[in-house]
Amino acid sequence: MLDSQGDQQQVYAAHLDTDEQQLQVLKLSQAVDDTAWATARTGALVTSDSTDNTIVVVTGPLFRGCPTSVTPAGANNAPAQPGPNYLGRINLNTGMVSSVPTTGDSLKPGGLIFLGASGFGHDDQ
């Protein structure tokens, strides 16, 4: 998967290097940057907060197989004074990006990765 942040799209590739290779474009309701998939209901999303120069760990019940993205104001038509980044969940059928509620300190995420109990990207059942 590749984000086309400015175009508000994600491009998905399947069956690479085969005769059945396919590309599909998902039009999003807003621009997104990094995207991570939880491979288990437990684990954490790890993100950077460049405004505070910190690493933030987001825990709680996660939606296995559901993409979670950092949503910046990075669209080609973004306003001059965009709002801050936040975590968003992407509906793979409609492209709708909806806010993921978080508690604690204000979160302004940058990069994003899923960390399961066994390590980065592992399926923890």
Side-chain angles (χ1 to χ4, degrees):
M1 186 278 303
L2 175 69
D3 291 317
S4 181
Q5 183 175 344
D7 298 319
Q8 294 179 228
Q9 298 176 341
Q10 287 185 327
V11 180
Y12 290 82
H15 312 291
L16 295 177
D17 294 328
T18 71
D19 291 339
E20 290 83 34
Q21 182 170 313
Q22 297 175 342
L23 294 177
Q24 291 183 316
V25 175
L26 178 63
K27 293 179 188 284
L28 302 173
S29 61
Q30 65 187 66
V32 299
D33 193 355
D34 285 351
T35 301
W37 277 262
T39 58
R41 285 191 43 78
T42 59
L45 292 170
V46 180
T47 183
S48 59
D49 186 336
S50 59
T51 58
D52 293 334
N53 201 26
T54 59
I55 300 295
V56 178
V57 178
V58 179
T59 60
L62 301 171
F63 294 90
R64 185 179 182 166
C66 182
T68 304
S69 288
V70 175
T71 56
N76 291 336
N77 59 355
Q81 296 294 321
N85 288 355
Y86 59 92
L87 287 180
R89 186 170 300 118
I90 300 171
N91 180 315
L92 292 175
N93 294 314
T94 66
M96 181 62 114
V97 180
S98 57
S99 178
V100 174
T102 59
T103 59
D105 293 339
S106 176
L107 179 63
K108 299 174 234 70
L112 186 66
I113 192 167
F114 173 73
L115 177 62
S118 301
F120 288 102
H122 289 272
D123 190 350
D124 298 320
Q125 302 300 326

